[in-house]
Amino acid sequence: MRRNRDSRNKQHDQQNAKVGGEKSPAILRFVNRKWIDIWNGNPPGTILLFIGLLVALIMSVPVIYVVWRSIAAGADSWTRLLGDRIPELLWNTLSLTAAVTFFAISIGVSLAWVVVRTDLPGKKFWQWMMALPLVIPPYVGAVTYIIVFGPSGWVADIWGEATWLTSILGDYPLNIYSFWGAFLVLTMFTYPYVFLIASASLRKMNRNFEEVARSQGMTTSQVFFKVNLPLLRPAIGAGAILISLYVLSDFGAVAMLRYVTFTSAIYFQQAGFDIESASVLSLVLILLTIFILWIEAYTRKKNKFYQTSNTFKEPETLRLGKWKPLAVVFVVSIFSVAVVLPIAVLVYWTVVGATMGVIDERFFEFAWNSIKVSGLAAILCMILATPIIYLKSRHPSLISQAIDKLSYAGYALPGVIVALGMVFIFNNHIPALYNTFYMIAIAFVVRFLPQAMQSGEASLSLVSPRIDEAARSLGYPAWKVMIKVIIPTILPGILAGGALVFVSSIKELPATLMLRPPGFDTLAVRVYYEASEAIYHQAAPGALLIVLVSIIPLHYLLRKY
Amino acid sequence: MKKILMFTLLALSFGALAACGGNNGEADNDTGNNQGEVEELDGELIVYSSRNETFVQDLLDKFTEDTGVEVRALHGAEPLQIQEEAGNVQADIFISNDIGALEYLNQQDLLEGYEPENVESIDEEYRAENNEWFAISARARGFIYNKDMIAEDEMPTKMDDLLDPEWSEVDNGYAITRGGNGGMIGNVSALRYEWGDERTSDWIMSIQENAAGILDGHGDIRRAVGAGEHAFGLVNNYYYHQQLEEPTNNNVGFIYPDQAEGEMGAIANAAGLGMVSGGPNEENAHAFIDWILEEENQLAFVGESLEVPINPDLEPPFEEAVSFSELNVQDMPLEELGNYFEDTRTIIEESGLDLELR
């Protein structure tokens, strides 16, 4: 952050200097040289830089605004919240984050190891299937778990009817509305992050290391803990970051399972228009997020592992032997709980809903609203991401790095905080757009622009700068090079980024809930509302549609890993 | 179905006009007359509502059908949103479950008076001085209980019974809503009027401590109690009537608390609406208010909520209704609730109940 501000200040000074510079050519020359130094002798065009700065500003303003409001909230709110509320929320949030992260990693890594490295029957099939929970947004997963395990769910009904069970074990023992409910749901729908990354790195792991270990007389489990696991550490770290940031920011699942964390507390405070408390709690959550990001950066710096690529040998497949039944049971049971169960419940209630005529004009209106706002966000992201990644890749400097980092501000932070910032800004400063669906679309851009950037960057990194130079040498101005040469070449990457933004947006819940204008409900909002009213036949069709749409990014992800 | 109804109404209206053109106060005839009077409108109307969506949406659809005005509704809206948006007014109409919220907004000069037709059908004690808001349907707070789990004579009979931790030991415990719920805010304000702040604070602490379930809304509570997830729950009376209409899980009873001689009486509140000052569609807001005060539409406002209409000429739209005259109701002018609204929220928040869910 500080570095960003410094670089912007510098630039600001320079502009000031330039204004006064006409009278003093010495200063002008000095400033000019400095300016070119910053850009390593390759400054971008004014328009490109302007667009980049503008986007960075839009991306970071909501967060800066929340921070500013929370600091301005006054000592009263702070002491009130620090006394009781914040310690309790800290405990709720951190214990859930730690537990989910730990168990999701354990499940993800062990699954990856079993699926990739052993002779499990149907390996290829499982590689796909075990990643599937990724397409089920946790709040949708939570609904299905409530339907099955809730106090008047299917399991409880069976329990109640089976008198022998009640006589031996007493009343129905599960309470889904608890820490354990939230823990179970979040673990089941976030472990694929680790599974995917760990599978990828297990597949790339060089056999030589293991052979050396074995020649030292190590058993398979010793090899796993002494060789495989350390090599997996970067993958585990990356997965842990994704999972813990997800748990910190999750709103829908915890709200439905009646477990109050920072995000849901912020939502309820904002919904009650206790803006001061909401912003104070937001600042604490921002600090938590930064703390986790810092831990990740710190551990990554300390642990570096290298794979030697020149003598790469495919890892050998281990024979499961007598462990085979156990491995199959493990994989199948996770699959049943995390994929079969939720999908079956959704299909069942969708059929019930369809026969009751739930898929009517209103349903299509909600679906259309979802598509409209997510589509707009996707298009905006594709348009805005292109100049930023071009600036970053072709004009590397402190300034372009700062722009790049600022663009990530909203991505790292929970949707409720972005939404809170948007409410402040639009209500106070841009009233014309307040309470229009554009406000939601812009929030989506702030949240998901980096997805489009990452995808586009991957494509752009394959295009050599020489191609630009060649085009420039033929007399094209920079903007024309971009439109005529660069964009057509990286278009597939940009479109893929747009698709990712689209699906992330269509399932986004908290920002949509907080920002939707009157009369504008989306599928996500309806699923949340109907499910919290326990009207499952109305919630299910929308939820199923969201799940189906979400298969699109899984396709990209599986290709990537 | 609705179309057929419309045509019937239109036909009736012409019939009525031809016959006498008089107004006999009969709901049907009345409708007929007003139907003929509605002028053509267009444009839109923005409605913020803090009531349960299922009670309000049909009403708004009916308005669109009758007048052609497109209604854009924000359900689950909070009164403070209107305060927050005062510099950039969005809403034309605010429909509320809690008169306290309406009167609070009125005290902040955020509502606007108007002299609508037929406003006299609502008693003066149920509307603001210049009709900035008026109530249409009334309800009382009480306990819904599951008859399979707890007998009537085992139930608490007074609000202050809940101060006693013994109720946490009932099988499966009892349920309340989270403190941010409009109905709960009204409930607490009424207790403050009766008991003062200290005892009320204790009461909030007790229910927060002892309740087994703290849910987001009253609909959740009636379903949970009906299904036996909790033995009883603190709700508005009409949620009891609603649960009775469920095909299953309907073996429930209801206790009106504090009914005995010398006790404070049931806590009453009302649902009503007000016109937001400076709203973008003033003309349509006026039309909506005139429309909703037509007796047919007063009944539609009560609608499926199964509350009791405030207008004494109207028959409650369902059979098991306990009319307000039979109840021992707390003797507090509803308008009073507005004086307590803001501090009540603070007290609830200090106890931590505002966000709590379990």
Side-chain angles (χ1 to χ4, degrees), chain A residues 80 85 151-152 258 260 265 268-269 271-274 362 427 431 434-435 518-519 526 529 532-533, chain B residues 46 48 52-53 72-73 78 80-81 84-85 88 90 178 215 220 223 229 345 349 352 354-355 357-358:
Chain A
R80 204 181 60 208
R85 190 59 65 74
S152 14
R258 302 179 194 160
V260 183
F268 285 125
Q269 297 283 22
F273 279 80
D274 183 352
R362 276 192 93 196
N427 190 22
Y434 181 74
N435 255 352
R526 294 315 296 182
Y529 173 77
S532 57
E533 284 281 322
Chain B
I46 313 291
Y48 281 16
N52 191 317
E53 176 176 335
R72 291 205 287 130
E78 291 270 342
L80 293 188
Q81 183 161 1
E84 189 71 21
E85 292 171 352
N88 178 19
Q90 303 288 314
R178 107 194 139 79
L215 283 55
D220 306 331
R223 284 193 195 90
E229 293 168 26
R345 288 174 54 99
E349 190 188 318
D354 59 335
L355 303 180
L357 289 174
R358 82 169 68 115

Side-chain angles (χ1 to χ4, degrees), chain B residues 178-229:
Chain B
R178 107 194 139 79
N181 183 288
M184 186 58 108
I185 294 175
N187 193 138
V188 172
S189 291
L191 291 180
R192 291 177 63 208
Y193 175 85
E194 200 72 30
W195 294 345
D197 286 0
E198 204 171 314
R199 191 175 169 79
T200 306
S201 228
D202 289 347
W203 186 82
I204 303 172
M205 293 290 194
S206 308
I207 58 172
Q208 191 210 5
E209 192 73 25
N210 299 326
I214 301 181
L215 283 55
D216 198 29
H218 293 100
D220 306 331
I221 296 187
R222 73 163 168 92
R223 284 193 195 90
V225 170
E229 293 168 26

Side-chain angles (χ1 to χ4, degrees), chain B residues 60-131:
Chain B
L60 300 180
D61 288 345
K62 184 171 188 292
F63 178 66
T64 303
E65 241 171 81
D66 287 2
T67 62
V69 174
E70 187 166 341
V71 180
R72 291 205 287 130
L74 183 70
H75 297 286
E78 291 270 342
L80 293 188
Q81 183 161 1
I82 287 167
Q83 192 176 7
E84 189 71 21
E85 292 171 352
N88 178 19
V89 180
Q90 303 288 314
D92 297 304
I93 296 285
F94 178 53
I95 298 181
S96 174
N97 253 348
D98 173 25
I99 294 304
L102 284 166
E103 178 55 23
Y104 170 78
L105 290 177
N106 192 20
Q107 289 171 2
Q108 308 293 315
D109 287 327
L110 296 167
L111 299 184
E112 198 166 297
Y114 173 55
E115 200 57 52
E117 292 167 41
N118 206 24
V119 75
E120 322 77 53
S121 65
I122 307 292
D123 244 4
E124 265 178 35
E125 57 176 312
Y126 293 115
R127 47 187 160 105
E129 208 180 328
N130 305 309
N131 309 319

Side-chain angles (χ1 to χ4, degrees), chain A residues 429-510:
Chain A
H429 304 295
I430 320 178
L433 286 182
Y434 181 74
N435 255 352
T436 62
F437 77 91
Y438 300 107
M439 204 161 76
I440 313 180
I442 295 172
F444 287 165
V445 172
V446 173
R447 287 276 284 134
F448 303 126
L449 180 70
Q451 291 183 347
M453 282 164 48
Q454 281 170 346
S455 175
E457 256 178 272
S459 295
L460 187 60
S461 68
L462 302 176
V463 181
S464 160
R466 302 240 167 112
I467 293 178
D468 307 29
E469 281 161 25
R472 292 289 292 273
S473 72
L474 292 173
Y476 272 9
W479 61 270
K480 217 167 181 181
V481 174
M482 196 151 152
I483 290 170
K484 289 263 178 180
V485 181
I486 302 296
I487 291 181
T489 331
I490 63 171
L491 198 60
I494 292 184
L495 288 174
L500 279 180
V501 172
F502 182 82
V503 288
S504 300
S505 303
I506 215 164
K507 61 185 177 182
E508 205 281 346
L509 182 61

Side-chain angles (χ1 to χ4, degrees), chain A residues 19 35 61 72 99 147 186 213 258 326 355 400 467 502 557:
Chain A
V19 172
W35 178 243
V61 158
I147 293 173
L186 289 173
R258 302 179 194 160
L326 198 69
T355 53
S400 44
I467 293 178
F502 182 82
L557 271 175

